[in-house]
Amino acid sequence: MTAVPGRRSTTFTRLLRHGFTDSSAAERLLESAELAPVRSDPVLLDALGATADPDLALLGLVRLVEAQDGHTDRRELLDTLIAAKPLRDRLLGVLGASAALADHLARHPRDWQALVTYEPRDLHPGVEEFERGLAEASDPVSLRVAYRRCLLSIAARDVCGTIDLAQTAAELADLATATLRAALAIARTAAPDDAVLCRLAVIAMGKCGGHELNYVSDVDVIFVGEAVDGADERKALQAATRLASHMMRICSETTVEGSIWPVDANLRPEGRNGPLVRTLSSHLAYYQRWAKTWEFQALLKARPVAGDLALGAEYVDTLAPLVWHAAERENFVADVQKMRRRVVENIPVAEIERELKLGPGGLRDVEFAVQLLQLVHGRADLSLRSGTTLDALAALAAGGYVGRADAVQLDDAYRFLRTMEHRIQLYRLRRTHLVPESDADQRRLGRSLGLRTDPVGELNREWKRHAAVVRRLHEKLFYRPLLDAVAQLAPGETRLSPDAARERLVALGYHDPAAALRHLEALASGVSRKAAIQRTLLPVLLGWFADSADPDAGLLNFRKVSDALGKTPWYLRLLRDEGAAAENLARVLSAGRLAPDLLMRAPEAVALLGEGDGGGLEPRSRAHLEQEIIAAVGRAENGEQAVTAARGVRRRELFRTAAADIVASYGTEETPAVADQGALVDQVGGAVSDLNAATLAGTLRAVVRDRWGDTLPTRFAVIGMGRFGGHELGYGSDADVLFVHEPRDGVDEQEASRAANTVVSEMRRLLQVPSADPPLLIDADLRPEGKTGPLVRTLNSYEAYYRRWSLVWESQALLRAEVVAGDEDLGRRFIELIDPLRYPAEGLGEDAVREIRRLKARMESERMPRGADPTLHTKLGRGGLSDVEWTVQLFQLRHGWEEPGLRTTRTREALAAACAAGLVSGEDAAILDEAWVLATRVRNAVMLVRGRAGDTFPSAGRELAAVGRYLGYGPGHVGDMLDDYRRTTRRARALVEELFYGA
């Protein structure tokens, strides 16, 4: 054919205008001999331009025409194509969306005729119609060909918009049902002896069971088998297993016609480790005794599809009561949410942003949220018992279990995301949930969804918009209706019934749902700005409370804080505008008693949970704290007011430390829990020790100023001992101290002593005066002569005592002595005085070592509380704090004189120094360190949870669960926590026997 001048450029331009991206190649294809009869017909170009990928559609059409058997068949195809618009739209629509179905048509060129006409019954075929379409298949290859032919008709109606997403997914599930039946029939024909021995039911699970299948997806199944009357059960199950295995291979194996889809039976009891086929009674026994929460969730979609349908129906009916009582299981909601988080965590980092199904804001978020609500409320409301996500969502909205506006948004988002998934899979008929990265693939995908102006840009905007809707709603979906249950709704709106609201709160872990509903009503009712903001916040807060061991306490504490601060504009603004503040507050209020108690005494400390000026949870330095406290003392009118101000700062900073510890231990949605447990222990110990030191310094200044003005008649210093000196204080620790003084020049020694004793008694009194702030208890029992000795001594008196009377236990106690307040020069000289005692030249003698060992053994036998479990006592128990600390201190007493690194008051630093010096191996040091850190964390947890100090794990179930949550153990894993503690401390004790006792 001779080209007319100018013709090429005109055709080239027309092709570009019709959506072709490679116009040169398209022009060549149009000029091919196969398309000669129709190339000039304008309807062809218009029809190609309407497809998702005109280039792909044109190439597929040329291949299909080339594959026709002779001129007559080609002419029939082309004439029908031009004359019949329905065929033209369907055929070219499929060719432009699916390279895989184009390949099928090229291999089976007469299959295009399946798209020519549709009878009314063909518009929405069901299982029977698909069974007729597969009826002639007698082997795996012919079954694949027939399956693709049926799939072709579904895809044609889908891409042309004849059927919507829900209908497409249902037809794909019906085609899968017919295919499973055909495959089982082929397997039975191949093994007639097996077929007569058994009854075999195929139960569809997952999307196939839910009547919402993808184009390419694993078809999840469970098999139930029974012996026919008179047959041996063992032989019948073996026969059923062979039939089931053969049926799976027929569908899954690759042949010259490819495969259909994998048949996956891993949802069965015990997964891939369990028998492929079980009897109904065996299934029931498993689900009654061993099944996990997710297995009941999976059974929501169970549907008999092939084989013995009566047996399949009996299976579903038998297990249904167990499914609808799953919400009563302990930690039900937490288990479901943990499973969802685990799915997200297992997505490769490089794929998470492109993951349509499993990623945040993906399809699985909608499905999990809907299934969670079904399991909670489906026991009482039969209308919710649908295996199809969109049907269940509509039923939840109709019943008031989900807000109608939320349901509409989720329905739209789910349909869009599922349609994206369908189009992505349809292209190559490959199982994938990843959005393609190339512009060409995204352009085809966008056009297939009707986005024609800017396919790539519009696709990404719409995708991100719908994913954001899902992310925002999928958890709130569970909580918002609880507010509607106690709020005034517009006419016509449906609300949760009181029973349904209580049911949902119980599923969330609330022990007193009636009280919780009263709190919600108090917080969210009314038309004030406060109520409006709290209605927005509460759905999210309820989820965070439910993630704790005590949701009731979290909600009650939030009500108390809101009652105290609700009228202050900065409080509501903080929670609304600073994302971290609301979550941090929820964690703190539901983690135990200590932090909420500290907060309730001065609720304005909630500002620390934000990120603005003066906020933040980073601990303050000792210098900063001392400066603030001294300044507050200076502004006070008298000593009592001054110490009250100092204690107020201490209370605020204790709250800051506790809140930081809780948030770091729990983690947030943006930041995972801190993995380094030792760092958390060091942070708490350092912060509380610095805080107490600054408080003592301020109190000392206040007492001196109140009685003597600027100068005390005697120099005075406070020496921290025990955990205080070691920077290892916990929330409930006393301040172990020694007091030392030295008369100033010209001052009578008796006058100086009276002044020093007055300071000590007044400091102790003021720090324990009953008030809203927690007391700071001062313990001076480690002084020379113990409780019978004077509270405060001169430096010379200490020198004389230690020279003449000092015992080995006092040398050991002085290992942790450090100046914490008062006269720095006096404190430095006290440390110089005691250094030869705690780091004796040439180390301890053997007699002294034996004495220390004797003291330790005596303490273990005499001081352990009666009835306490020695394997769980953090201080005196096996492998606990005492064991590790005495072992480290023995290293210091024996080798501190020659190893400078051992001259530290801190246990972990000394242990690391002993390891560096070769006194203990790295492996053994790690075991001792792990045990010490764990025992310290448990003590901190007990104080945070109970609000009072304790050396053993709580006995109350909720408190024990809260300790576990703080330590990183999820709901239902308290036993694992105790086992891990015992194992860790047992290993440490074995080393103590060797390193301390010399066993």
Side-chain angles (χ1 to χ4, degrees):
M1 174 178 174
T2 305
V4 177
R7 170 73 180 277
R8 177 178 172 79
S9 61
T10 303
T11 305
F12 190 89
T13 303
R14 286 177 61 211
L15 291 169
L16 283 176
R17 194 166 58 246
H18 278 82
F20 288 85
T21 57
D22 189 350
S23 295
S24 298
E27 195 170 3
R28 285 194 298 274
L29 289 172
L30 282 170
E31 294 294 333
S32 64
E34 287 78 12
L35 296 187
V38 296
R39 74 166 65 97
S40 60
D41 196 314
V43 300
L44 176 63
L45 204 56
D46 289 343
L48 287 168
T51 65
D53 187 339
D55 301 86
L56 185 67
L58 178 57
L59 176 61
L61 178 61
V62 171
R63 291 177 62 207
L64 176 58
V65 175
E66 286 176 344
Q68 296 304 306
D69 188 13
H71 176 75
T72 303
D73 287 351
R74 287 178 192 160
R75 192 72 209 188
E76 180 189 4
L77 168 60
L78 292 174
D79 287 349
T80 310
L81 184 73
I82 296 301
K85 184 179 187 304
L87 169 74
R88 186 166 61 248
D89 292 343
R90 290 191 289 265
L91 178 59
L92 295 182
V94 168
L95 293 175
S98 178
L101 288 177
D103 290 342
H104 171 82
L105 285 169
R107 289 195 307 274
H108 304 281
R110 300 300 294 169
D111 278 3
W112 68 269
Q113 294 185 338
L115 305 179
V116 175
T117 59
Y118 285 136
E119 298 297 328
R121 69 173 186 274
D122 294 326
L123 291 177
H124 301 291
V127 177
E128 290 184 10
E129 287 76 18
F130 288 126
E131 283 189 291
R132 282 198 295 271
L134 303 177
E136 296 181 6
S138 58
D139 57 58
V141 173
S142 60
L143 181 61
R144 281 153 177 71
V145 175
Y147 174 83
R148 292 280 195 280
R149 189 181 304 120
C150 293
L151 190 67
L152 185 65
S153 68
I154 297 175
R157 290 193 301 281
D158 177 18
V159 298
C160 291
T162 307
I163 53 177
D164 66 9
L165 167 82
Q167 292 168 321
T168 302
E171 289 189 18
L172 289 167
D174 285 340
L175 175 56
T177 296
T179 305
L180 289 171
R181 292 179 182 180
L184 183 57
I186 293 171
R188 286 178 174 276
T189 301
D193 292 343
D194 285 343
V196 299
L197 280 179
C198 63
R199 301 170 64 198
L200 176 63
V202 183
I203 312 297
M205 305 288 285
K207 283 189 161 53
C208 183
H211 222 227
E212 52 185 10
L213 197 60
N214 292 330
Y215 275 102
V216 187
S217 175
D218 289 0
V219 171
D220 296 309
V221 298
I222 286 177
F223 295 105
V224 188
E226 297 286 351
V228 299
D229 291 341
D232 177 76
E233 184 178 286
R234 184 178 62 84
K235 291 181 179 178
L237 285 178
Q238 290 173 343
T241 301
R242 287 190 291 270
L243 289 173
S245 299
H246 191 190
M247 186 204 83
M248 293 173 69
R249 291 196 303 275
I250 289 170
C251 297
S252 305
E253 286 181 349
T254 301
T255 69
V256 291
E257 286 291 337
S259 67
I260 302 177
W261 18 247
V263 177
D264 188 341
N266 287 337
L267 291 178
R268 67 187 185 270
E270 300 179 74
R272 65 186 60 193
N273 296 319
L276 184 63
V277 181
R278 287 176 183 257
T279 62
L280 179 55
S281 61
S282 176
H283 277 283
L284 180 61
Y286 174 83
Y287 284 106
Q288 286 175 330
R289 295 189 62 190
W290 309 112
K292 296 181 172 61
T293 299
W294 70 263
E295 293 178 280
F296 293 107
Q297 185 181 351
L299 284 172
L300 277 172
K301 302 204 177 269
R303 179 171 64 96
V305 292
D308 192 316
L309 296 181
L311 177 59
E314 190 180 353
Y315 168 88
V316 172
D317 291 344
T318 300
L319 295 184
L322 300 180
V323 174
W324 299 113
H325 283 83
E328 299 172 4
R329 294 163 65 93
E330 189 177 3
N331 304 315
F332 162 72
V333 172
D335 283 349
V336 174
Q337 292 173 334
K338 183 170 69 175
M339 176 64 69
R340 174 70 190 113
R341 285 193 292 269
R342 189 179 303 155
V343 168
V344 174
E345 289 165 1
N346 288 334
I347 302 171
V349 175
E351 295 180 358
I352 194 165
E353 292 299 321
R354 297 192 294 126
E355 177 59 73
L356 260 184
K357 177 181 178 181
L358 304 178
L363 295 163
R364 189 56 62 84
D365 276 346
V366 182
E367 293 159 0
F368 263 60
V370 169
Q371 290 163 21
L372 193 60
L373 290 168
Q374 284 182 278
L375 288 168
V376 170
H377 299 295
R379 178 182 54 176
D381 189 341
L382 302 185
S383 70
L384 305 182
R385 298 186 179 186
S386 170
T388 307
T389 300
L390 291 174
D391 290 348
L393 180 58
L396 287 164
Y401 303 100
V402 171
R404 286 185 178 177
D406 290 347
V408 168
Q409 289 188 69
L410 271 184
D411 184 282
D412 289 345
Y414 189 75
R415 288 175 185 274
F416 182 85
L417 296 173
R418 277 295 302 272
T419 305
M420 272 185 75
E421 182 183 42
H422 277 187
R423 298 291 194 269
I424 292 167
Q425 293 181 348
L426 184 59
Y427 177 50
R428 292 287 186 195
L429 287 183
R430 289 179 184 164
R431 181 175 179 268
T432 180
H433 312 289
L434 294 178
V435 177
E437 295 181 284
S438 75
D439 282 352
D441 286 335
Q442 289 194 8
R443 180 177 184 275
R444 180 181 58 255
L445 179 56
R447 284 174 60 90
S448 77
L449 297 170
L451 309 174
R452 297 302 173 95
T453 305
D454 175 19
V456 175
E458 289 179 71
L459 171 69
N460 280 282
R461 284 192 295 274
E462 285 296 293
W463 168 33
K464 299 300 182 188
R465 180 176 70 83
H466 285 297
V469 167
V470 174
R471 270 199 306 274
R472 189 179 77 249
L473 290 180
H474 92 273
E475 286 188 353
K476 189 172 70 171
L477 198 70
F478 200 79
Y479 307 109
R480 181 185 273 180
L482 290 169
L483 302 187
D484 293 342
V486 296
Q488 296 296 318
L489 298 186
E493 284 288 316
T494 308
R495 71 168 80 231
L496 276 182
S497 69
D499 286 344
R502 282 192 290 272
E503 199 171 45
R504 190 174 298 192
L505 285 164
V506 169
L508 283 168
Y510 287 83
H511 282 215
D512 189 351
L517 284 171
R518 288 196 300 274
H519 298 326
L520 289 175
E521 185 171 13
L523 287 162
S525 60
V527 294
S528 67
R529 177 174 173 270
K530 170 188 170 185
I533 291 176
Q534 293 191 146
R535 279 196 295 272
T536 302
L537 289 170
L538 275 166
V540 184
L541 289 169
L542 285 170
W544 288 325
F545 293 149
D547 191 36
S548 74
D550 195 350
D552 299 82
L555 182 56
L556 171 61
N557 289 332
F558 180 69
R559 180 180 175 183
K560 289 179 179 177
V561 172
S562 293
D563 287 347
L565 295 177
K567 293 183 180 179
T568 56
W570 64 263
Y571 167 69
L572 294 171
R573 189 166 60 245
L574 174 81
L575 296 184
R576 184 192 64 197
D577 298 339
E578 293 201 34
E583 184 175 5
N584 290 347
L585 179 61
R587 300 297 183 201
V588 167
L589 293 180
S590 57
R593 294 181 181 176
L594 178 66
D597 285 351
L598 292 169
L599 183 60
M600 297 310 167
R601 294 174 184 185
E604 66 275 3
V606 76
L608 300 177
L609 300 170
E611 298 169 351
D613 294 341
L617 296 177
E618 285 296 316
R620 304 289 182 88
S621 67
R622 181 185 296 193
H624 185 115
L625 293 168
E626 196 166 319
Q627 182 181 17
E628 180 182 1
I629 289 175
I630 294 296
V633 166
R635 292 190 295 270
E637 295 182 1
N638 55 51
E640 288 207 6
Q641 287 185 6
V643 176
T644 297
R647 288 174 64 181
V649 173
R650 178 172 177 268
R651 183 242 316 123
R652 184 197 72 207
E653 294 303 317
L654 273 176
F655 173 74
R656 188 198 304 270
T657 303
D661 189 18
I662 290 166
V663 170
S665 297
Y666 271 60
T668 65
E669 291 186 352
E670 297 296 326
T671 308
V674 173
D676 186 349
Q677 305 287 296
L680 292 175
V681 163
D682 291 343
Q683 180 168 304
V684 171
V688 177
S689 300
D690 286 346
L691 176 55
N692 285 355
T695 303
L696 287 177
T699 304
L700 175 60
R701 173 71 64 90
V703 170
V704 170
R705 194 193 67 169
D706 208 35
R707 293 291 187 95
W708 293 278
D710 292 332
T711 306
L712 187 67
T714 185
R715 295 180 180 86
F716 187 90
V718 184
I719 310 299
M721 299 290 284
R723 297 190 180 286
F724 192 8
H727 298 255
E728 296 162 0
L729 284 177
Y731 298 109
S733 301
D734 295 347
D736 289 319
V737 297
L738 299 178
F739 297 108
V740 57
H741 79 105
E742 184 180 64
R744 295 186 185 277
D745 293 342
V747 175
D748 177 73
E749 190 165 321
Q750 287 189 338
E751 179 190 349
S753 179
R754 282 195 301 272
N757 277 283
T758 299
V759 167
V760 170
S761 61
E762 190 66 2
M763 285 180 69
R764 298 179 81 177
R765 182 185 73 82
L766 289 174
L767 287 170
Q768 297 178 49
V769 169
S771 76
D773 301 311
L776 174 55
L777 301 178
I778 294 176
D779 186 340
D781 289 352
L782 291 175
R783 65 187 183 270
E785 302 178 71
K787 294 180 179 180
T788 61
L791 268 175
V792 58
R793 290 174 180 261
T794 64
L795 184 63
N796 289 336
S797 175
Y798 275 107
E799 190 274 333
Y801 174 86
Y802 286 138
R803 184 179 67 251
R804 298 185 61 189
W805 310 109
S806 175
L807 301 174
V808 67
W809 73 264
E810 292 176 298
S811 296
Q812 183 181 355
L814 289 169
L815 284 168
R816 313 192 78 178
E818 182 175 288
V819 183
V820 294
D823 189 295
E824 292 182 8
D825 179 66
L826 177 60
R828 177 184 54 76
R829 285 185 285 129
F830 179 85
I831 298 301
E832 289 174 353
L833 167 68
I834 64 172
D835 271 350
L837 285 168
R838 56 184 181 173
Y839 310 125
E842 305 301 324
L844 281 186
E846 285 305 312
D847 288 345
V849 171
R850 278 194 296 273
E851 175 64 12
I852 286 180
R853 289 171 175 163
R854 187 188 65 78
L855 287 171
K856 175 75 167 72
R858 179 181 168 190
M859 184 178 71
E860 289 177 11
S861 63
E862 294 180 1
R863 294 182 59 188
M864 178 72 72
R866 181 175 297 178
D869 183 347
T871 68
L872 293 176
H873 197 280
T874 59
K875 183 176 181 181
L876 302 175
R878 181 192 70 189
L881 296 171
S882 174
D883 272 359
V884 177
E885 288 165 3
W886 282 59
T887 301
V888 171
Q889 288 160 14
L890 187 57
F891 285 141
Q892 292 178 284
L893 289 165
R894 299 179 83 171
H895 303 283
W897 67 279
E898 60 181 347
E899 292 293 342
L902 289 171
R903 297 171 205 163
T904 175
T905 61
R906 306 180 188 217
T907 302
R908 299 187 73 210
E909 279 188 12
L911 180 57
C915 178
L919 302 175
V920 60
S921 70
E923 181 181 356
D924 290 351
I927 291 171
L928 292 172
D929 184 72
E930 181 185 12
W932 188 88
V933 166
L934 178 56
T936 305
R937 289 272 289 161
V938 171
R939 290 183 100 201
N940 286 345
V942 170
M943 184 66 188
L944 284 170
V945 169
R946 302 179 68 190
R948 60 182 188 274
D951 291 317
T952 60
F953 287 88
S955 56
R958 274 206 161 187
E959 292 180 345
L960 191 59
V963 169
R965 188 70 185 81
Y966 171 84
L967 294 176
Y969 292 87
H973 290 277
V974 164
D976 295 337
M977 171 182 68
L978 298 179
D979 289 345
D980 288 346
Y981 183 86
R982 288 188 173 104
R983 181 170 54 253
T984 300
T985 53
R986 183 172 62 245
R987 294 168 66 204
R989 177 64 186 196
L991 289 175
V992 171
E993 295 286 349
E994 175 188 341
L995 298 171
F996 181 81
Y997 286 111

